[in-house]
Amino acid sequence: MAEDTNLEIEETGKSKKKLIIIIAAALLVVGGIAGYFLMSGSDAPAEAVNKETAAATDVPADTASSSAEVGTALYVAMPRPFVFNVPGSSRDRIVQVKVQLLVRGSVNEETAKKHIPLIEGKLLSIFSTTTADELSTSAGKETLRFAALEKVQAALIDVEGSKVIERVLFTGFVMQ
C-alpha cells in the first residue's frame, strides 16, 4: 500500500507541472494577442480617418477637414540660408543662419511663400544690426529671433493686414 501512495504523489507532481506549463503557454498567447492589438495602429491615411469620422457624426468631410486645417502648424523654409558678417570685439565673424517660419493653416502658408522676398529683406536688415558678442550667447540668439519675428510681422501687417507668421525659427546656426 505504501507503493500506491508514492505512485499517486509522483503523478500529482507531473500533473502540476503540466498545469503550470499550460497556464504559462496560455498567458504567452494572450499576452501576444494583446501586444499585437496594442502595437498595431491604423494604416489608413488621415484623410480617410477624417472622412470616416465625419460620416459617423453626419458632418460633411470638407467641413471636418477645413476646421482642423485652420489651426494646423505648418513650416515654411526659407529657400537659402542667410550668410552675413558681424563685427566682434576681437575680430569680425561670418554667420550662417537657416530659418523656417511657423504659420497656422494653408492660407497663411501660401501668403508667407508669396512674400518670401519681403521676409528675406526684413530678416537681413535685422541680422545686420547684431554683433558677434550678442550671438555668442543663447539669450542674444533669442533676442535676435524675437526682433526678427516682430519686424517680419510688422511688414506683413502692412502688406496683408495680418501677422501671418507665428514664429521665426533658427534651424541651423553657425558662427566662424
Side-chain angles (χ1 to χ4, degrees):
M1 222 170 173
E3 290 178 12
D4 288 338
T5 43
N6 282 339
L7 288 176
E8 287 179 21
I9 293 172
E10 287 178 16
E11 288 177 14
T12 307
K14 286 182 182 178
S15 65
K16 283 185 180 180
K17 286 182 183 178
K18 285 182 184 178
L19 182 62
I20 290 172
I21 291 173
I22 290 172
I23 290 173
L27 286 174
L28 284 174
V29 169
V30 170
I33 291 171
Y36 172 77
F37 284 116
L38 289 174
M39 295 300 224
S40 68
S42 174
D43 291 342
E47 265 182 45
V49 172
N50 281 344
K51 288 181 182 179
E52 290 172 6
T53 306
T57 58
D58 294 332
V59 176
D62 295 335
T63 306
S65 64
S66 66
S67 65
E69 197 171 287
V70 170
T72 303
L74 300 169
Y75 298 92
V76 177
M78 298 308 286
R80 59 196 152 273
F82 294 90
V83 179
F84 53 96
N85 291 327
V86 291
S89 58
S90 60
R91 63 185 176 104
D92 291 352
R93 303 213 178 224
I94 296 175
V95 178
Q96 177 183 3
V97 180
K98 293 180 184 177
V99 176
Q100 290 197 9
L101 309 170
L102 171 65
V103 297
R104 296 282 176 178
S106 59
V107 172
N108 285 338
E109 178 187 26
E110 292 303 316
T111 304
K113 285 180 180 178
K114 181 172 77 173
H115 293 293
I116 281 183
L118 172 67
I119 295 167
E120 282 180 329
K122 293 300 177 184
L123 290 174
L124 277 174
S125 70
I126 284 291
F127 293 160
S128 66
T129 63
T130 189
T131 65
D133 297 331
E134 292 170 349
L135 294 179
S136 63
T137 65
S138 60
K141 291 174 191 164
E142 283 299 307
T143 303
L144 179 66
R145 197 173 62 76
F146 284 122
L149 176 63
E150 289 174 359
K151 188 121 178 177
V152 168
Q153 284 179 340
L156 288 172
I157 286 173
D158 291 343
V159 173
E160 288 290 327
S162 66
K163 290 182 178 179
V164 179
I165 294 170
E166 186 175 317
R167 281 192 176 169
V168 172
L169 304 168
F170 295 163
T171 56
F173 195 97
V174 177
M175 184 166 57
Q176 293 182 346

